Amino acid sequence: MSTLTTAAYLVSSVLFILSLRGLSHPSTARRGNFLGILGMTIAIVTTLSNPGVLSYKEIGIAFLIGGLIGTSIAVKIQMTALPQLVAAFHSLVGLAAVFVAASAYYNPSAFNIGAVGSIPMGSLIEMSIGTAIGAVTFTGSIIAFGKLQGFVSGNPLVFKGQHFINLLLGLGIIALIVKFCIDQNQELFWLIVFASFVIGVLLIVPIGGADMPVIVSMLNSYSGWAAAGIGFTLSNNLLIITGALVGSSGAILSYIMCKGMNRSFLNVLLGGFGGEQAASAGGVKDDRQAKQGNAADAAFMMKNSKTIIIVPGYGMAVAQAQHALREMGDLLKAAGAEVRYAIHPVAGRMPGHMNVLLAEANVPYDEVLELDEINRDFSETDVAFVIGANDVTNPAAKTDKTSAIYGMPILDVENAGQVFFVKRGMASGYAGVQNELFFRDNTLMLFGDAKKVCEDIIKGLEN
Amino acid sequence: MSEISNQLESLSYKAQQIANEASQLASSVAETSGGHSDFIIFGITVLVLACFVGYYVVWSVTPALHSPLMGVTNAISSVIIVGALLAAGPVDSNISKYFGLVAVTLAAVNIFGGFVVTNRMLSMFKKKQ
């Protein structure tokens, strides 16, 4: 690699770091994204000027096809479908890593790593690890995509001996890698790919739909490590640096999500949490009656309130209620109330999902606050309006040691003067736990579709 | 006396030969591995330092922008296109080149998709008027 090339790759690594740095505040974030694009452009142009790269026509066509597909998907996608889009994109990075590794195996001279059959041991180890991580990322992300999109049931798929099979497969892959590094046999290479595909599926099927934020972040991390692995094969620092950035980003996001649920990463990975099974097992019949209200009552009471905090959850995204919700908020503001939004770290199906949906509905970002920022304010708030969230508001997480969600940080909505709870029915949330809040004196249930309820309240406010 | 000096001479000649062979072997090893054994340690150094950079940079990202963060990291992880371009580069067509071209296409979907969708997300974040 010439000095100039190395320098250019260094520039793009720095641009990638600055690109992530830009995301520390919404006002600098767009510039950050632009720096990322610049870094990628430099990386691509530098590689194209490599003397070994000559087939510009074919590369141009491949790049154009990919670019058109990517752009048209990204322009059309609905913001509620972001989590599955990101999962789908991760799968592509994984698959690309597998193809690059396969290509390096069949034509090592293009990568300066010896000749067919005499690839040095170090390169073989890197190549096979990169391949395995890429392949796991590919199938794992496809399953995650299927669960988020609804192609595959969101319920955890658990069967006996599941973890034992995964363990065996994992050990098998390691054995295959060792054998491959000695024999350099092409059947072994494809066996590694195949076994990694299988384990990618098996790792994700036992994990329930609402744990997907953790999984999408984890796969984000994997796609980074796969890129870093290929970076070692190519002796390329840019790939290693970028891979490490992406890898640590995904790992930190997974950690934040796990902390938001007070569960260990291992507990999420082992799966079997939530879904219908948990709901039926934990759903002890409750004789208590929740008080039910209607949209007109809610409109009247909120109109006469000074401070209102809205707590959105995944149910708001499903009902596409964000625009109606913002309109309701605007009317309340016009009536003189202070309206703010409280976001729990695990609200939605990917980190920060609710913030994007509210931003899409034109809610200014300075009205949207995180759990730590707003939680103390509930006690001085007239009305808490919970829409499409459930477990994250359950006070049992603080008091009931036997509860599945004990210890999870929750939004203290019960401290507000009046709580409105928009919900389709009395069913328990993802964790399969009955919400204590429904039976409090200051809680009024508003049953119905989130969007419909908001629209009814808007009518009530306009009258 | 002369016998000993002869033996010494032949011994030193042999030593010279062994030294020559050793240096030849060393250089041929270095050639086949392309100085690779050195790179592993160097690469691991870079990897570890980059993880620290990543750690501090990512913790400074505001939680409100965690979705765009995933969009950007998704796009930049497609820097793997560097490997794909090298694979697709040679003029003569073989399986290796086709694998490279497929990887170029996949990475391009991601690069464009990732940056465009992130830009869409970020353009929606507005301050209170």
Side-chain angles (χ1 to χ4, degrees):
Chain A
M1 220 183 284
S2 76
T3 319
L4 194 64
T5 314
T6 315
Y9 282 150
L10 177 64
V11 170
S12 52
S13 313
V14 172
L15 285 171
F16 286 156
I17 295 170
L18 291 176
S19 151
L20 298 190
R21 186 78 184 93
L23 293 173
S24 57
H25 196 270
S27 58
T28 55
R30 290 191 77 178
R31 194 180 62 207
N33 196 40
F34 173 74
L35 293 178
I37 296 171
L38 193 65
M40 187 60 79
T41 313
I42 293 175
I44 292 172
V45 171
T46 308
T47 313
L48 286 176
S49 64
N50 182 305
V53 179
L54 297 162
S55 56
Y56 289 116
K57 205 171 133 195
E58 287 116 310
I59 289 175
I61 293 170
F63 191 73
L64 209 65
I65 294 173
L68 280 176
I69 297 173
T71 311
S72 59
I73 295 173
V75 168
K76 282 190 209 128
I77 194 82
Q78 281 199 323
M79 285 297 145
T80 41
L82 269 182
Q84 45 267 53
L85 176 78
V86 170
F89 279 167
H90 287 157
S91 77
L92 299 183
V93 182
L95 192 60
V98 173
F99 275 113
V100 173
S103 175
Y105 171 70
Y106 284 106
N107 186 12
S109 58
F111 295 85
N112 278 327
I113 47 168
V116 181
S118 63
I119 302 172
M121 177 72 89
S123 302
L124 284 173
I125 299 173
E126 294 150 10
M127 191 190 288
S128 42
I129 293 176
T131 309
I133 302 176
V136 170
T137 311
F138 173 58
T139 49
S141 300
I142 287 194
I143 300 295
F145 168 78
K147 286 198 177 221
L148 290 162
Q149 182 73 28
F151 290 154
V152 183
S153 160
N155 291 330
L157 176 70
V158 202
F159 54 88
K160 222 177 157 197
Q162 194 162 25
H163 303 309
F164 185 66
I165 292 175
N166 288 348
L167 185 69
L168 277 187
L169 255 174
L171 292 175
I173 291 172
I174 294 172
L176 281 171
I177 289 178
V178 172
K179 188 118 177 39
F180 171 70
C181 291
I182 297 165
D183 293 358
Q184 310 207 6
N185 184 321
Q186 68 165 337
E187 278 84 30
L188 285 171
F189 179 85
W190 293 110
L191 260 177
I192 294 173
V193 173
F194 179 73
S196 306
F197 277 166
V198 174
I199 204 169
V201 174
L202 289 177
L203 278 177
I204 310 301
V205 286
I207 299 168
D211 279 343
M212 281 304 135
V214 182
I215 296 309
V216 173
S217 314
M218 182 189 85
L219 292 165
N220 185 20
S221 180
Y222 282 8
S223 67
W225 302 127
I230 299 298
F232 275 96
T233 312
L234 299 176
S235 300
N236 186 320
N237 280 331
L238 170 63
L239 264 68
I240 297 178
I241 294 172
T242 314
L245 288 179
V246 177
S248 42
S249 162
I252 290 172
L253 289 178
S254 314
Y255 169 79
I256 294 173
M257 296 296 111
C258 286
K259 213 166 135 251
M261 298 189 292
N262 189 37
R263 290 171 57 202
S264 72
F265 188 59
L266 193 68
N267 178 283
V268 174
L269 273 195
L270 289 178
F273 190 86
E276 277 166 11
Q277 273 176 323
S280 61
V284 183
K285 276 279 163 245
D286 215 313
D287 297 331
R288 291 176 292 177
Q289 278 291 314
K291 281 191 291 179
Q292 197 181 339
N294 61 38
D297 303 337
F300 178 77
M301 289 181 76
M302 285 201 282
K303 208 170 186 172
N304 295 307
S305 309
K306 286 270 168 292
T307 47
I308 296 168
I309 297 179
I310 297 172
V311 180
Y314 183 60
M316 180 199 78
V318 173
Q320 298 270 13
Q322 63 270 32
H323 297 279
L325 186 67
R326 193 261 311 152
E327 207 179 319
M328 185 189 94
D330 284 351
L331 286 170
L332 290 169
K333 274 193 274 182
E338 182 203 34
V339 179
R340 291 182 297 169
Y341 296 80
I343 310 287
H344 192 276
V346 295
R349 285 289 190 265
M350 77 184 274
H353 193 195
M354 285 300 128
N355 303 75
V356 172
L357 292 178
L358 291 175
E360 186 197 13
N362 283 323
V363 174
Y365 61 76
D366 30 11
E367 285 176 11
V368 184
L369 299 161
E370 304 300 318
L371 182 128
D372 313 338
E373 297 171 314
I374 202 168
N375 222 7
R376 280 198 204 104
D377 298 355
F378 277 107
S379 49
E380 294 145 26
T381 298
D382 298 333
V383 172
F385 188 82
V386 183
I387 177 164
N390 188 352
D391 291 337
V392 298
T393 61
N394 194 341
K398 288 185 288 193
T399 51
D400 181 5
K401 284 194 177 161
T402 59
S403 174
I405 57 168
Y406 179 71
M408 169 170 154
I410 65 151
L411 288 160
D412 299 328
V413 289
E414 82 270 17
N415 294 342
Q418 174 70 46
V419 180
F420 291 109
F421 219 107
V422 182
K423 220 172 166 309
R424 272 183 302 193
M426 281 299 282
S428 57
Y430 174 65
V433 186
Q434 184 65 273
N435 195 339
E436 276 298 309
L437 201 60
F438 299 167
F439 310 107
R440 296 284 171 105
D441 289 337
N442 60 342
T443 304
L444 216 52
M445 306 296 293
L446 302 172
F447 289 118
D449 173 72
K451 194 177 173 187
K452 182 82 177 39
V453 171
C454 286
E455 283 164 353
D456 289 346
I457 294 177
I458 291 168
K459 274 181 215 151
L461 288 170
E462 279 169 342
N463 288 336
Chain B
M1 234 6 191
S2 71
E3 229 175 84
I4 294 173
S5 81
N6 272 348
Q7 270 180 352
L8 211 69
E9 203 171 303
S10 75
L11 214 64
S12 74
Y13 178 71
K14 270 181 191 164
Q16 181 69 40
Q17 257 186 331
I18 291 168
N20 277 346
E21 274 171 22
S23 76
Q24 262 175 5
L25 200 70
S27 70
S28 75
V29 164
E31 257 169 39
T32 49
S33 65
H36 202 87
S37 49
D38 299 337
F39 185 80
I40 291 184
I41 294 300
F42 180 56
I44 290 174
T45 311
V46 172
L47 180 78
V48 172
L49 293 179
C51 283
F52 276 94
V53 173
Y55 180 86
Y56 289 105
V57 170
V58 172
W59 274 115
S60 77
V61 172
T62 169
L65 293 180
H66 277 163
S67 284
L69 172 67
M70 295 196 88
V72 171
T73 51
N74 179 53
I76 67 173
S77 66
S78 310
V79 74
I80 206 162
I81 197 170
V82 167
L85 290 172
L86 291 177
V91 185
D92 43 333
S93 297
N94 53 39
I95 184 139
S96 176
K97 182 179 172 173
Y98 294 125
F99 283 157
L101 286 172
V102 174
V104 169
T105 313
L106 294 173
V109 173
N110 243 310
I111 292 172
F112 281 83
F115 282 127
V116 170
V117 85
T118 308
N119 193 50
R120 254 186 81 195
M121 282 189 249
L122 293 175
S123 62
M124 298 184 306
F125 279 85
K126 288 185 199 84
K127 226 178 143 75
K128 196 160 24 184
Q129 277 99 9

